[in-house]
Amino acid sequence: LLEGSVGTDVPSSGTFEAKLWALAEAAVLIGSQRSVDGRLRVTAEQARSIIGAQIGSASLTVTGSGAHDGWPQGHVAVSSSPGYASRQGPAEPPGDPVLYGLVCAENRVVRMTDEQLHTHPLGPQLDDQRGRRPPLRGWLAAPLVASDGTNLGLLQLSDRDEGEFVAVDEAILVQLAQLASVAVENALLHEQLMAQERQELTEDLLAGLSHDMQTPLAVILGAMQVLQAGPDAPVEQRLGLYELLQTQADRLQRLVQQLLDYVRLESDQLVVLRRERLDLRVLLDDLVGFTGPGRLRPIEVPSDLPPVEADPDRLMQVLSNLVGNAIKFSAEPVQLEVRAEADGLRIDVVDRGEGIEPTELALVFDKLYRTDRAREAGVPGHGLGLYVSRSLVQAMGGTLTVASAPGVGSRFTVWLPAGEGRP
Amino acid sequence: VSRRVLLVDDERPIREMATMLLERARWAVDTDEHGEAALTRLADDAAYDVVVLDHRMPGLTGLATASQLREQGVDLPIVLFSAYLDPEVEAQATRIGVLPVSKGEIVQLPSLLERLTDGRGPAVVDD
């Protein structure tokens, strides 16, 4: 009863070739959708239009407790003709839990004429459903099968435009189901990976931000406690504590600034920059104050530097990000090089740290990206600094680039264009 | 004899601040910057009353350091003193008898360590 047979229905060659051509086009259309639901929807539409039926659907078998033999189906994508939809109300997929089982439990193709369908032992059950679903007129269904041979779902049609479903229809549907299986399985895997990645990114960002906020806060809380509890503390100790309070508050302030910049960049808002003639010596003094003693080699500033207009606070933000990174990843002091180059000013931040793997070099400026090594080694950070820094430098008309080799170190280069020098 | 604590944190400001608070409460404090250094130190000299470990550090994490100490049979009280602990790390810490404490509780750290070491409190150190 259920065995479809190929060979008795000979198609006119033109029609068959046209359908094969349509099948190739269907593959492209399915692939143009990126989501699982999109790929199922196009698959159902293409099956219905190529073979010519009033209603079709593509769906995925739900697995888990209580689910068996292809029931229930999820991600159901239905395609029906306009006439069918208006005549019958909201379209529901053809088929039935038991019918689905015939296809999904054994990954079999099922083709039934209208008479076969209604003389089938399942006939009465199908008739029972007439109240809530349009009656079926013939049925053609092919399984969607994963690469490991397990059932993914099914692709089904009912109510052929003319006559009964024939062997060529079955051959086309099987081809389409195979195309769709690969496409849908890929989309499923991709969606799973993305969900996992989002989860990991969120956790990593949370851990990084939490660390970077809690550390200065803890120091501030501790310093306040000592200052309050011990008004008789030596002057040097009190001054030391006030300085500690200041540096930790600055650190928090920079983090908040960075977060605000990140949110603005994410929502495509412009970061407002000041433009003023840069006094590099003041900036570099601030930078030495930021790093603390011994972490930065003495900086030589040439006298022939071109005038540059930039936002000094934002450039300080960029340089402290770069120097802060270099210190994190390198035990040796960090080298800062300043020179005139290519109609602009070039500042290099050079470390002899672990370096960056070639495969990761292009990714380090991506938002929230952290190198595998940094994550695995638990180096504090949150993946905001380089992303925000590059955006800021670009907003100032410059570039931020990196060269690095594992085991040798990294060189981050800020280049800013020479601007109109104001006297 | 004063109570001794080994404090392990890669952040200098935290080491300094926690040391200041603990010394004010008359603890004798030694510090290390990372887990490996702490393992070496404890292998030579295990005469501490308690170990305080940051979790998120370059190299060995605090939890990994604590696990190694437990495997070596070190049964000192250990505090995992961290800015952020995901529930999984917290559960693992509890399982090996390590007390998770938030960095936000830095001011309470001395009294907490006191309770953790049988509430006897550190002996007074002669200045």
Side-chain angles (χ1 to χ4, degrees):
Chain A
L1 171 69
L2 298 172
E3 300 299 321
S5 57
V6 182
T8 50
D9 314 296
V10 182
S12 73
S13 62
T15 311
F16 189 61
E17 275 172 12
K19 286 184 174 180
L20 277 183
W21 183 248
L23 206 53
E25 284 183 326
V28 175
L29 284 170
I30 293 168
S32 72
Q33 296 289 318
R34 298 196 63 182
S35 68
V36 171
D37 289 322
R39 289 184 170 184
L40 287 169
R41 178 174 53 75
V42 173
T43 301
E45 284 166 8
Q46 291 298 305
R48 198 174 66 75
S49 84
I50 295 172
I51 293 170
Q54 294 290 302
I55 187 161
S57 87
S59 53
L60 296 185
T61 300
V62 174
T63 54
S65 65
H68 61 90
D69 288 351
W71 184 260
Q73 293 280 310
H75 287 268
V76 181
V78 181
S79 168
S80 61
S81 67
Y84 195 95
S86 66
R87 197 167 67 240
Q88 306 288 355
E92 283 193 38
D96 170 272
V98 186
L99 277 180
Y100 288 177
L102 295 176
V103 179
C104 298
E106 293 174 37
N107 280 332
R108 278 172 51 172
V109 182
V110 176
R111 172 159 63 98
M112 294 188 202
T113 63
D114 195 42
E115 192 192 342
Q116 285 171 330
L117 185 66
H118 291 283
T119 54
H120 189 272
L122 301 174
Q125 277 178 296
L126 291 173
D127 290 339
D128 285 349
Q129 299 187 18
R130 284 205 172 136
R132 59 177 180 83
R133 199 190 51 200
L136 300 180
R137 199 177 62 74
W139 199 57
L140 177 63
L144 300 176
V145 185
S147 51
D148 65 357
T150 57
N151 179 260
L152 271 180
L154 81 160
L155 174 59
Q156 50 178 323
L157 293 172
S158 185
D159 206 350
R160 198 180 195 279
D161 292 346
E162 288 169 23
E164 302 285 0
F165 290 108
V166 294
V168 168
D169 299 339
E170 183 181 319
I172 299 272
L173 194 75
V174 166
Q175 289 291 319
L176 197 56
Q178 278 176 3
L179 290 173
S181 297
V182 175
V184 167
E185 190 179 25
N186 280 343
L188 276 170
L189 289 175
H190 184 69
E191 284 181 7
Q192 277 165 15
L193 274 177
M194 294 299 286
Q196 202 180 328
E197 206 162 283
R198 264 197 305 275
Q199 174 85 6
E200 281 170 11
L201 264 185
T202 311
E203 276 169 20
D204 207 48
L205 179 66
L206 199 59
L209 283 178
S210 189
H211 176 277
D212 285 8
M213 287 183 184
Q214 287 266 37
T215 301
L217 270 176
V219 176
I220 288 169
L221 285 170
M224 277 165 44
Q225 165 79 12
V226 176
L227 284 170
Q228 280 167 3
D232 52 342
V235 176
E236 308 87 72
Q237 193 192 33
R238 291 165 65 90
L239 286 177
L241 286 169
Y242 283 122
E243 201 177 307
L244 199 59
L245 279 172
Q246 184 66 53
T247 55
Q248 298 306 307
D250 287 349
R251 188 172 158 185
L252 268 179
Q253 203 273 334
R254 280 196 302 274
L255 180 63
V256 170
Q257 181 67 60
Q258 198 109 294
L259 265 176
L260 283 174
D261 285 346
Y262 173 71
V263 172
R264 288 201 187 109
L265 287 167
E266 281 300 273
S267 56
D268 285 331
Q269 290 178 48
L270 279 180
V271 175
V272 181
L273 296 174
R274 287 191 287 144
R275 276 179 72 85
E276 54 186 72
R277 175 74 184 271
L278 198 64
D279 189 339
L280 206 56
R281 283 170 202 282
V282 173
L283 192 80
L284 295 178
D285 278 350
D286 285 351
L287 200 60
V288 173
F290 159 79
T291 57
R295 307 310 300 266
L296 209 54
R297 285 184 204 282
I299 308 160
E300 284 178 32
V301 182
S303 54
D304 62 340
L305 295 177
V308 165
E309 285 193 349
D311 185 324
D313 292 340
R314 299 327 196 95
L315 189 56
M316 173 64 193
Q317 187 182 342
V318 170
L319 292 176
S320 56
N321 276 332
L322 297 178
V323 170
N325 275 348
I327 288 173
K328 261 193 293 192
F329 290 98
S330 164
E332 288 182 49
V334 174
Q335 175 91 47
L336 214 79
E337 296 169 4
V338 181
R339 59 175 171 272
E341 191 192 275
D343 298 329
L345 170 71
R346 172 177 169 157
I347 305 171
D348 286 41
V349 178
V350 188
D351 71 66
R352 291 169 195 273
E354 294 172 349
I356 303 164
E357 294 293 328
T359 47
E360 296 194 294
L361 207 52
L363 303 171
V364 293
F365 293 107
D366 286 2
K367 65 183 169 198
L368 305 186
Y369 187 82
R370 302 192 63 221
T371 60
D372 288 343
R373 201 190 298 226
R375 290 168 62 136
E376 282 158 15
V379 178
H382 35 57
L384 293 179
L386 287 179
Y387 171 67
V388 169
S389 294
R390 173 175 262 188
S391 305
L392 288 175
V393 173
Q394 286 171 347
M396 290 186 251
T399 58
L400 173 58
T401 52
V402 60
S404 183
V408 177
S410 304
R411 172 183 290 267
F412 284 83
T413 303
V414 177
W415 177 86
L416 292 169
E420 292 298 303
R422 282 183 217 151
Chain B
V1 183
S2 73
R3 289 284 166 123
R4 294 178 75 205
V5 53
L6 176 60
L7 176 77
V8 188
D9 200 309
D10 60 315
E11 293 262 3
R12 188 174 50 86
I14 292 279
R15 284 199 306 276
E16 288 179 0
M17 199 64 249
T19 300
M20 195 181 286
L21 289 168
L22 287 164
E23 283 179 346
R24 285 170 56 86
R26 298 179 185 275
W27 282 81
V29 185
D30 286 322
T31 59
D32 277 317
E33 293 183 31
H34 46 83
E36 289 88 345
L39 288 175
T40 310
R41 184 193 291 267
L42 285 164
D44 287 348
D45 170 16
Y48 286 90
D49 295 289
V50 60
V51 178
V52 176
L53 297 167
D54 179 25
H55 176 56
R56 206 173 154 96
M57 297 183 284
L60 281 182
T61 63
L63 184 65
T65 308
S67 304
Q68 289 204 15
L69 287 173
R70 289 289 186 248
E71 278 167 25
Q72 290 163 13
V74 175
D75 63 352
L76 292 174
I78 300 177
V79 169
L80 200 58
F81 186 48
S82 188
Y84 173 85
L85 288 180
D86 66 55
E88 202 179 310
V89 172
E90 202 164 331
Q92 280 176 31
T94 311
R95 212 171 303 134
I96 59 169
V98 169
L99 181 70
V101 174
S102 162
K103 285 249 165 95
E105 294 181 66
I106 190 168
V107 170
Q108 289 80 42
L109 193 62
S111 60
L112 200 139
L113 295 192
E114 208 167 308
R115 283 203 302 279
L116 205 60
T117 50
D118 301 328
R120 279 172 289 154
V124 175
V125 189
D126 291 326
D127 286 324

